[in-house]
């Protein structure tokens, strides 16, 4: 379950340096998560219109309470009560979910995703037995930062363009030889913005209490399914969380992509067995199936997920109404 915490660190990158903590902050931003291929189709109903076009939301934090609201509704998180209020703007209703209930849903979603993956693996190679599988591989994680030299104004701040590339590959082998995962984060970094430190602090407290993610970008179901389907994503998250604080500045715009990479052996096998869409047995075979293009071609790399986040405005005044359930909303019992 601890691995689930890491995905939120990239889906909602708030890698600010140490700065004084403000008592309150209010932002307006746009976020989007696009899940690709089979996983995207399976989870598209979680995101609805927002998954296709992105969601513009208003976020306010003061003390132990945070509200993230958009035209469809939103959520209010209370760390003291350990409750999440989910608002439906169309029906003018809200439901209350405890942290314990969210933890349970996350466990169930992860187990469902693992079972689905196992079923696909068995279809790919029915005769394969657990004892015949190869020992667990050891992986190395490469971290690269490139400043492109480009600059522009973002949310009223001067920002510079930085690209972070994280590569997860088998120890002692090149990426194309072993296959693996590549995470690329294209960020526009502004100066240190103390106001955003308050948001980052709140999210960190939330993750620690919840032991998993619940952000404007990813639902618990999405995060659990992604990590079950692409285990190497967790390793990329871990490295980003470790190295991200070394970046100078505050991300005001960011686009992060995750690419699954076939090994040369898997790619060759997939090309010789297009009809069955298989690149070998077990999990390797499943990965190869995901790499098959819709037009019949086989690609060595394919996107698993893309997340974007744009900060539109930042303020330092939060009223009581910014953090409360709007007037006229009625609680809907589950």
């Amino acid at each position: 379950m601890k691995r689930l915490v890491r995905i939120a660190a990239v889906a909602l990158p708030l890698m600010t340096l140490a700065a004084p903590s403000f008592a309150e902050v209010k932002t307006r931003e746009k976020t989007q998560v696009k899940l690709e291929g089979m996983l995207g189709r399976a989870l598209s109903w979680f995101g609805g219109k927002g998954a296709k076009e992105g969601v513009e939301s208003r976020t306010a934090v003061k003390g132990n309470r945070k509200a993230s609201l958009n035209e469809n509704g939103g959520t209010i998180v209370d760390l003291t009560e350990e409750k999440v209020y989910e608002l439906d703007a169309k029906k003018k209703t809200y439901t209350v979910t405890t942290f314990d209930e969210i933890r349970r849903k996350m466990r169930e979603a992860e187990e469902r995703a693992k079972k689905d993956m196992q079923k696909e693996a068995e279809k790919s190679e029915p005769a394969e037995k657990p004892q015949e599988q190869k020992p667990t591989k050891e992986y190395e994680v490469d971290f690269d930062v490139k400043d492109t030299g480009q600059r522009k104004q973002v949310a009223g701040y001067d920002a510079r363009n930085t690209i972070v590339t994280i590569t997860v590959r088998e120890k002692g082998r090149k990426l194309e030889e072993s296959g693996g995962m590549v995470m690329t984060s294209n960020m526009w970094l502004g100066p240190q913005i103390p106001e955003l430190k308050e948001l980052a602090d709140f999210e960190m407290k939330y993750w620690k209490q919840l032991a998993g993610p619940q952000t404007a970008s990813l639902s618990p179901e999405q995060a659990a399914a992604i990590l079950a389907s692409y285990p190497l994503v967790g390793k990329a998250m871990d490295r980003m969380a470790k190295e991200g604080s070394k970046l100078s500045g505050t991300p005001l715009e960011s686009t992060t992509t995750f690419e699954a990479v076939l090994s040369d052996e898997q790619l060759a096998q997939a090309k010789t067995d297009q009809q069955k869409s298989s690149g070998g047995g077990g999990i390797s075979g499943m990965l190869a199936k995901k790499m098959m293009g819709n037009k019949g071609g086989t690609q060595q790399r394919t996107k698993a997920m893309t997340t974007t986040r744009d900060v539109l405005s930042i303020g330092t005044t939060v009223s009581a109404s910014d953090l409360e359930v709007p007037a006229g909303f009625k609680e809907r019992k589950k």
Side-chain angles (χ1 to χ4, degrees):
M1 188 62 68
K2 291 181 179 179
R3 290 188 305 158
L4 293 173
V5 179
R6 302 168 190 155
I7 201 162
V10 174
L12 190 66
L14 292 173
M15 300 169 291
T16 56
L17 301 178
S21 180
F22 278 53
E24 54 194 76
V25 62
K26 181 162 61 176
T27 67
R28 187 169 59 91
E29 59 187 60
K30 186 174 182 179
T31 59
Q32 182 180 22
V33 176
K34 183 179 180 181
L35 304 174
E36 308 284 352
M38 180 182 67
L39 186 59
R41 292 190 294 273
L43 292 177
S44 61
W45 64 277
F46 283 118
K49 179 182 177 181
K52 298 178 181 179
E53 303 176 7
V55 175
E56 185 174 317
S57 60
R58 302 175 304 282
T59 299
V61 171
K62 187 173 184 178
N64 280 341
R65 199 170 175 95
K66 172 187 173 183
S68 297
L69 306 176
N70 56 59
E71 61 180 8
N72 297 317
T75 60
I76 298 174
V77 178
D78 194 304
L79 300 181
T80 303
E81 298 177 353
E82 289 209 338
K83 292 180 180 179
V84 176
Y85 298 79
E86 299 180 39
L87 283 62
D88 186 325
K90 293 182 179 180
K91 297 181 180 179
K92 289 190 176 297
T93 60
Y94 69 93
T95 57
V96 181
T97 305
T98 65
F99 283 17
D100 282 340
E101 290 176 290
I102 293 175
R103 296 184 189 107
R104 176 179 55 79
K105 289 180 180 179
M106 289 167 58
R107 289 193 297 269
E108 292 174 351
E110 188 172 16
E111 287 302 315
R112 284 196 302 269
K114 286 181 178 178
K115 289 180 180 179
D116 290 342
M117 292 290 288
Q118 186 59 41
K119 288 180 181 178
E120 289 292 332
E122 291 173 354
K123 290 179 182 178
S124 179
E125 191 66 47
E128 183 177 333
K129 297 180 181 180
Q131 60 267 30
E132 296 174 345
Q133 294 180 353
K134 296 181 180 180
T136 302
K137 297 178 181 179
E138 292 186 51
Y139 291 93
E140 291 182 328
V141 183
D142 304 318
F143 186 87
D144 178 72
V145 179
K146 178 183 178 181
D147 194 328
T148 68
Q150 298 183 59
R151 308 187 76 90
K152 71 175 183 178
Q153 288 287 308
V154 181
Y157 295 90
D158 183 40
R160 70 183 192 283
N161 187 222
T162 299
I163 299 176
V164 176
T165 304
I166 298 176
T167 303
V168 184
R169 55 180 173 76
E170 189 175 345
K171 187 175 182 179
R173 303 181 69 188
K174 295 181 179 180
L175 177 64
E176 291 74 17
E177 295 175 341
S178 67
M181 173 74 66
V182 177
M183 187 190 100
T184 305
S185 203
N186 190 332
M187 298 179 290
W188 288 91
L189 298 173
Q192 298 180 28
I193 303 176
E195 294 91 330
L196 292 186
K197 181 68 163 51
E198 190 70 20
L199 281 174
D201 288 346
F202 185 95
E203 291 296 337
M204 189 57 65
K205 292 177 185 177
Y206 189 17
W207 301 336
K208 288 181 178 179
Q209 285 185 232
L210 191 60
Q214 173 70 18
T215 74
S217 297
L218 289 174
S219 70
E221 292 87 351
Q222 289 174 330
I226 289 167
L227 286 173
S229 302
Y230 299 97
L232 297 186
V233 168
K235 295 184 181 295
M237 299 295 156
D238 194 22
R239 186 60 180 270
M240 181 60 121
K242 181 180 179 180
E243 303 287 351
S245 61
K246 298 179 182 179
L247 296 174
S248 177
T250 301
L252 298 175
E253 282 187 11
S254 60
T255 299
T256 302
T257 60
F258 296 85
E259 293 179 290
V261 183
L262 284 177
S263 67
D264 288 336
E265 181 181 355
Q266 291 170 335
L267 180 62
Q269 178 62 36
K271 286 183 176 180
T272 61
D273 202 2
Q274 294 266 343
Q275 187 175 3
K276 295 182 179 179
S277 300
S278 174
I283 299 300
S284 295
M286 289 188 58
L287 181 58
K289 288 174 68 177
K290 291 178 182 179
M291 307 295 278
M292 300 296 292
N294 294 330
K295 297 181 180 180
T298 304
Q299 304 172 12
Q300 188 159 25
R301 293 191 181 201
T302 189
K303 289 182 181 179
M305 177 176 70
T306 300
T307 71
T308 62
R309 171 179 175 269
D310 301 331
V311 177
L312 304 178
S313 65
I314 303 171
T316 57
T317 302
V318 177
S319 65
S321 61
D322 290 328
L323 299 168
E324 296 174 351
V325 175
F329 278 60
K330 297 183 179 179
E331 182 176 0
R332 180 173 61 84
K333 298 295 183 179
K334 293 182 290 185

